[in-house]
Amino acid sequence: MEPVLFFEPKLKAAFAYCHSSGGIFQLDEDEYRAVLNETEEGKALINEMRNYNGQRYTFQDFIGHLNSLAIIHERLSRPTTASLELTLRCNLRCSHCIVSAGEPRENELTTEEWLRVIDQLDALQYTLTGGEPLIRPDFGEILTAIKERGAAVKILTNGTLVAENLNLFEALDGRDVVQVSVDGLEETNDRIRGGGTFRKAISAIRALVEVGVNVQVSFTLLPENEADLVPLYREVAGLGIESFNVGHGLPLGRQRGAVPYGEYLRAVNELREVAEEVGIPVIGGSLGSELPVKPEGVYSCEAGTSSLFITSDGRVYPCPLFEGTDFLMGNVREEGIREIWKKKDWERLRRNLSGTKCASCPLFGACRGGCPGEALIFKGTLNAPAPSCRLEFED
């Protein structure tokens, strides 16, 4: 159905995204009901949205807008997005994998259990991850269930299993993205990810683009692949990809070293200069949207405010970085996901950074103290700036 609708009872307002016109709209409760029920008034509103000719936004911009509302208004009444770790099983053993993927977890969720979770969540967007999600025999059934509910999907894959599953991607539409990981030119990538993986990933990108799928290349910046960042970007930019995402590798799981965050930001900024010439957008390494938040009692990001993460054995966390911490919010085998989302325990994600350098930092409205998961992992508390604080490397 177009437009995509999200009603927030706290605000007594709905938010809509129209893919054909690229417009984002806010509706009052009566307008929302009219559009939902396709009354004459609702049909007129839908036509207005479709005929909108102002600034065009992407579906990700719409999700970002909802994420910002969640931070400002102290969590949404239901999650808009969910990251589903379909399995921890993987056919690769990448040297930098932060979850040490390989073997599946004991007693992973069945097809029926995942379908029930999707039905209960009714999210606007799902990220399907692993391990390698395509390794599950029921991946197509899970993907179909998501698309039948009208949701968008982002699939994170190493690309090696795309060729034999290409028919599964026929269900994707313009809001969906397949992210293929490539961590360097052939020699470097294959040293990190395994022999032959570079050529398989490039073949997967070509095949996906050919059938009309939006493809994002994911590159994790590590000490061992820094020199390949710009050359790789130039090489894959000509394949018809939508964007190039640069992640900051963390010393977690199998990875033992990390590029200093300041060096990471500089690398991304330099790549953006190249992108102005090449034309393929670069994602990563930038501050978030400026928000009117205060150091006292601030939610930092969408984790636990508008999104959540579910492990392949059913445990619910704010995001993957919280897995294994005391921020276990429940298990979908024991409770309904809506009941888990309503728990007051999520309020523990609210940080107090008033006694830190965040309080006087001019970047705070956009940074919001950085990643809370990184702060918890590396500093032992949410109430500290993340170790990737921008001030750590300013001249």
Side-chain angles (χ1 to χ4, degrees), residues 295 356-362:
T356 71
K357 57 188 172 185
C358 293
S360 58
C361 178

Side-chain angles (χ1 to χ4, degrees), residues 5 72 120 176 182 196 213 281 322-323 338-339 341 368:
L5 298 171
I72 296 170
Q120 291 175 354
D176 304 320
V182 187
V213 173
F322 284 88
E323 199 261 316
R338 294 176 185 173
E339 287 66 39
W341 185 256
R368 301 184 287 279

Side-chain angles (χ1 to χ4, degrees), residues 68-259:
S68 295
L69 292 173
I71 293 167
I72 296 170
H73 296 286
E74 305 272 289
R75 304 185 70 238
L76 298 180
S77 298
R78 68 180 177 93
T80 61
T81 57
S83 181
L84 311 183
E85 179 197 80
L86 297 186
T87 180
L88 199 61
R89 185 183 173 198
C90 188
N91 59 327
L92 303 184
R93 299 295 186 274
C94 301
S95 62
H96 66 316
C97 182
I98 66 170
V99 296
S100 299
E103 297 303 317
R105 298 185 191 274
E106 291 185 13
N107 197 22
E108 293 190 327
L109 296 179
T110 65
T111 307
E112 292 71 24
E113 286 173 320
W114 273 126
L115 297 182
R116 185 166 61 248
V117 166
I118 292 165
D119 185 61
Q120 291 175 354
L121 268 169
D122 194 23
L124 300 183
Q125 183 180 55
Y126 294 85
T127 296
L128 304 182
T129 183
E132 171 52 52
L134 290 176
I135 212 166
R136 277 190 71 121
D138 59 358
F139 177 83
E141 190 173 350
I142 293 171
L143 178 61
T144 297
I146 291 172
K147 296 309 299 177
E148 286 179 346
R149 297 194 68 86
V153 66
K154 184 173 185 178
I155 301 167
L156 310 189
T157 177
N158 58 42
T160 62
L161 303 178
V162 165
E164 56 263 49
N165 292 288
L166 198 57
N167 63 304
L168 299 178
F169 299 96
E170 294 174 358
L172 303 187
D173 59 49
R175 296 170 299 149
D176 304 320
V177 177
V178 176
Q179 178 179 287
V180 180
S181 296
V182 187
D183 288 313
L185 299 174
E186 185 168 4
E187 182 180 348
T188 305
N189 176 86
D190 287 6
R191 189 166 57 248
I192 295 170
R193 307 187 68 85
T197 56
F198 180 84
R199 294 189 180 186
K200 287 183 178 180
I202 297 300
S203 295
I205 293 168
R206 288 197 174 104
L208 290 166
V209 170
E210 189 172 331
V211 297
V213 173
N214 296 324
V215 177
Q216 178 181 96
V217 169
S218 174
F219 176 94
T220 302
L221 190 68
L222 306 164
E224 54 266 42
N225 67 4
E226 283 186 86
D228 283 11
L229 176 58
V230 173
L232 177 69
Y233 170 79
R234 288 189 179 278
E235 181 164 333
V236 300
L239 300 180
I241 64 173
E242 293 290 315
S243 57
F244 187 92
N245 181 57
V246 185
H248 180 224
L250 297 173
L252 298 171
R254 297 193 188 106
Q255 180 61 24
R256 289 294 175 265
V259 173

Side-chain angles (χ1 to χ4, degrees), residues 361-377:
C361 178
L363 301 178
F364 180 71
C367 175
R368 301 184 287 279
C371 174
E374 289 185 26
L376 183 64
I377 291 171

Side-chain angles (χ1 to χ4, degrees), residues 234-351:
R234 288 189 179 278
E235 181 164 333
V236 300
L239 300 180
I241 64 173
E242 293 290 315
S243 57
F244 187 92
N245 181 57
V246 185
H248 180 224
L250 297 173
L252 298 171
R254 297 193 188 106
Q255 180 61 24
R256 289 294 175 265
V259 173
Y261 197 75
E263 191 174 324
Y264 160 72
L265 278 190
R266 282 190 288 271
V268 175
N269 288 336
E270 289 173 5
L271 187 61
R272 283 204 168 92
E273 294 178 6
V274 177
E276 291 180 7
E277 166 203 338
V278 175
I280 300 300
V282 171
I283 299 171
S286 60
L287 298 171
S289 302
E290 188 74 25
L291 296 176
V293 293
K294 298 179 180 180
E296 302 86 4
V298 60
Y299 284 112
S300 300
C301 67
E302 63 268 23
T305 60
S306 61
S307 69
L308 50 72
F309 168 66
I310 305 176
T311 65
S312 57
D313 54 5
R315 290 168 293 138
V316 180
Y317 291 96
C319 85
L321 283 180
F322 284 88
E323 199 261 316
T325 72
D326 66 352
F327 279 83
L328 173 62
M329 299 301 180
N331 192 305
V332 298
R333 282 182 164 138
E334 300 167 0
E335 302 173 89
I337 195 69
R338 294 176 185 173
E339 287 66 39
I340 293 174
W341 185 256
K342 292 177 182 177
K343 291 181 178 179
K344 288 185 67 63
D345 207 31
W346 293 94
E347 295 178 4
R348 292 194 294 130
L349 289 168
R350 193 186 289 116
R351 304 165 76 182

